[in-house]
Amino acid sequence: RGQMAWATVLGLMLNPRIIHVVAYCEGQYAATSKEIIESCKMVNQLISEYGRGFPQGLLADRSVGARKAELLEDTNALIEAIKTLGKNGRDPLADPKVLETAIRSGLLDAPDLKGNVIARGEIVTALVDGACVAVDTKSGRPLPEKERISRVMARENG
């Protein structure tokens, strides 16, 4: 619980637009609705307390600011790729069929999804200079998100 709280506070220092809550127990077992609700309540309290004043300055570190900019660019590239999957006039980011396609294709993937019946679980990650990044499975070199997306789209298109 403490690690989840601290990670949330560190994340808040980056001034996010959204927060993805990972239940405090996820490192040991899949969360039940009880743990998810409890974790959301904890994060809600942290957000409230953080808004009342908390030491700032994390973004003053150039490397943190640069990584934030990189993550935003990568996220926008992923969102645009997902949007190309939607062709029925609905918002592709809110369309369950589009999101399922994004998961099945590997656009949305994670190493822990290996063996999942829907997701690929093929992505390999590593810590590089303090950042968790996708890596090429053959060379082990960091795999830029735009290149990873291009590979997935090429595989899906043909």
Side-chain angles (χ1 to χ4, degrees):
R1 291 179 184 153
Q3 191 276 335
M4 183 197 75
W6 182 239
T8 300
V9 168
L10 285 175
L12 287 170
M13 289 181 189
L14 297 174
N15 302 316
R17 294 183 189 159
I18 61 170
I19 294 177
H20 175 93
V21 177
V22 175
Y24 62 82
C25 62
E26 290 288 338
Q28 289 140 345
Y29 58 90
T32 65
S33 58
K34 178 183 177 223
E35 285 112 359
I36 294 168
I37 291 167
E38 187 177 344
S39 296
C40 288
K41 286 180 178 179
M42 290 169 62
V43 168
N44 190 44
Q45 181 67 33
L46 283 166
I47 292 168
S48 177
E49 295 295 327
Y50 186 85
R52 292 190 183 118
F54 197 87
Q56 301 297 307
L58 187 61
L59 289 177
D61 183 311
R62 286 189 196 147
S63 65
V64 173
R67 180 66 177 146
K68 178 183 177 182
E70 183 180 314
L71 288 170
L72 286 171
E73 184 178 330
D74 290 350
T75 301
N76 286 327
L78 183 56
I79 288 170
E80 290 307 312
I82 293 169
K83 284 180 177 179
T84 68
L85 303 175
K87 298 177 175 81
N88 63 8
R90 295 178 60 184
D91 178 359
L93 300 177
D95 185 334
K97 290 192 183 302
V98 170
L99 296 176
E100 178 185 2
T101 301
I103 293 167
R104 285 187 186 276
S105 70
L107 278 175
L108 296 175
D109 202 10
D112 289 343
L113 296 175
K114 189 175 191 83
N116 185 289
V117 296
I118 302 283
R120 290 186 172 266
E122 294 174 347
I123 193 170
V124 175
T125 60
L127 290 176
V128 178
D129 298 326
C132 185
V133 299
V135 294
D136 181 270
T137 56
K138 293 179 182 155
S139 69
R141 72 171 174 80
L143 182 61
E145 185 64 3
K146 287 180 181 176
E147 184 179 338
R148 188 189 75 78
I149 291 168
S150 292
R151 289 181 182 186
V152 169
M153 299 301 273
R155 179 182 63 218
E156 291 303 305
N157 295 326

